[in-house]
Amino acid sequence: MSLFSFLFSPRPKSAAIAKERLKIVLAHERASRDAPDFLPSLQKDLLACVGRYVQIDDDMIRVSLGKSGETSLLEINIEIAGAKAKSGAGAAAAV
Amino acid sequence: MAQVIVVTSGKGGVGKTTTSAAFAAGLAMRGHKTVVIDFDVGLRNLDLIMGCERRVVFDFINVINGDANLNQALIKDKRNDNLFIFPTSQTRDKDALKRDGVERVLEELRKTFDYIICDSPAGIEHGAITALYFADSAIIVTNPEVSSVRDSDRIIGILSSRSRRAERNEPPVDIHLLLSRYDPDRVAKGEMLTVDDVKEILSIPLLGVIPESETVLRASNTGTPVTFDGDSPAGRAYLDAVARFLGEQREMRFVKPEKRGFFRVLFGRA
């Protein structure tokens, strides 16, 4: 049976794989191309601000601009699980 | 009203210069006074493809710098009276292509020519941006292959954001897709993206499909724009694309595998 399926199951055509990969990568690239210029610097400022209270890494803040119907949606995700409160700023961070 | 057409692609080696030469020659054959300009400063090649490499005296940069006038630099094609070639310089100074200088030269060319074809260098650097900046229309040369399609998408984005028409909020550059090196046999086997795949991904109107053809190399070997070779499938496909560009309806040819006769199968490619 396995030999049978090995011999006769059609391999996916490579052109179809190419089309799928292109669609995904271009959707991603078009979204970031249309993003306003201020997103990277906003991300940097947020990182500096939040970083005063908790220790976080660059990749723990994600800023993106999406659309929900007619309204633009600025989405900011800050991951602080496992982040250590900085000593001295602990009280402020806990509030 | 003169029209500036940029032939561009992002990726190198997809057939921009072949297309520029073939398209310019095709427009000239249809009676339009046409000039084709090489924007690939430092890597001059349009002159070779057009077969006028031994007639280059002055070039695009000389005219921009005021060292020569247009009439001294333009090379008149010996096969068609409507066709002129404007070679570029071999200088390694890429910044020699100044935008205001290019604008001045294009404005002067607009007075005497119907069509001005700008053969862009590959990439998205200064030369490529300068070549597309003044365009009214663009021909995006794409091969049915992932990296070419991706780079075409990038260039389409640049045309719609960084061209002069975009910066001035004028009607956008008229963008056309030209799919080249298309192999219908491989498409039929599922080994190559189809015309419809590429159209769907890039979502720009299709101007033509140029089949992979031995005659393209033969044409470049001899310095003949492929449209001057009446027997060539690629040449005929380019002439169809020129006709569509001029507003005519033409059926897409060379997109289905060719039916081979008994003798052709027996004796290989005839």
Side-chain angles (χ1 to χ4, degrees), chain A residues 12-23 25-27 29-30 33-34, chain B residues 145-147 149-150 153-154 156-157 189-193 197 200-203:
Chain A
K13 301 282 191 198
S14 65
I17 299 170
K19 186 182 180 188
E20 220 31 59
R21 291 175 60 220
L22 271 170
K23 277 178 145 176
V25 73
L26 290 185
E29 286 178 357
R30 284 171 189 157
R33 186 193 302 155
D34 298 335
Chain B
E145 179 271 326
V146 286
S147 53
V149 175
R150 182 199 217 170
D153 191 72
R154 191 82 201 277
I156 292 166
K189 288 184 202 152
E191 295 174 359
M192 185 180 265
L193 291 166
D197 288 343
E200 182 193 327
I201 293 167
L202 294 178
S203 54

Side-chain angles (χ1 to χ4, degrees), chain B residues 58-79:
Chain B
F58 294 108
D59 58 51
F60 196 19
I61 304 297
N62 292 144
V63 176
I64 287 175
N65 291 339
D67 299 331
N69 65 40
L70 262 180
N71 292 331
Q72 290 173 300
L74 286 179
I75 300 173
K76 191 170 193 292
D77 190 87
K78 287 188 169 163
R79 296 151 295 202

Side-chain angles (χ1 to χ4, degrees), chain B residues 26-71:
Chain B
L27 284 167
M29 287 163 83
R30 298 291 305 264
H32 300 286
K33 203 173 174 195
T34 306
V35 59
V36 54
I37 312 176
D38 191 347
F39 271 77
D40 202 348
V41 175
L43 293 168
R44 177 161 82 204
N45 272 321
L46 180 69
D47 55 338
L48 265 182
I49 300 300
M50 295 293 296
C52 63
E53 68 277 8
R54 295 175 64 177
R55 298 169 62 202
V56 177
V57 182
F58 294 108
D59 58 51
F60 196 19
I61 304 297
N62 292 144
V63 176
I64 287 175
N65 291 339
D67 299 331
N69 65 40
L70 262 180
N71 292 331

